[in-house]
Amino acid sequence: MTVTVEQLENTLKSGFPDSNIIVEDVSGGCGAKFSIVIGSDKFEGVSLLERHRMANDVIGELMKDIHAINFKTWTKKQYEEKMKQ
């Protein structure tokens, strides 16, 4: 099964409501590699490793059909600062 940007966005939005989410297919459209940015208040005070675990837990079943994901898991404040650059 091919995973789409829309599937990932919808799944992440359900797990991280009121968050900034950017999903990009970086595999040329085949759904094998994605770049994902999440800006969420749920990440306040959470280590980088735990943030990635949280994101992986949300997309769970979809991971079976994805080869690689590059996560950027930021707090909302970090997201706003980094997106200005």
Side-chain angles (χ1 to χ4, degrees):
M1 178 179 116
T2 301
V3 177
T4 66
V5 168
E6 293 78 20
Q7 283 176 298
L8 278 172
E9 283 178 346
N10 291 336
T11 302
L12 288 165
K13 285 178 183 177
S14 70
F16 296 98
D18 302 318
S19 298
N20 301 95
I21 297 172
I22 301 170
V23 178
E24 183 181 359
D25 184 337
V26 293
S27 63
C30 73
K33 294 181 186 177
F34 291 91
S35 175
I36 298 174
V37 178
I38 305 169
S40 175
D41 287 335
K42 287 186 173 187
F43 296 142
E44 285 289 342
V46 177
S47 71
L48 180 61
L49 180 60
E50 188 57 33
R51 291 176 185 194
H52 287 202
R53 284 183 180 149
M54 291 167 65
N56 276 320
D57 287 347
V58 168
I59 59 176
E61 288 295 311
L62 295 175
M63 282 300 296
K64 293 179 182 178
D65 297 311
I66 298 172
H67 176 71
I69 292 180
N70 177 24
F71 278 119
K72 291 191 180 5
T73 50
W74 300 325
T75 64
K76 278 196 172 187
K77 182 180 177 184
Q78 289 170 323
Y79 176 89
E80 291 169 10
E81 289 170 359
K82 295 194 184 267
M83 295 310 281
K84 286 180 186 176
Q85 299 174 359

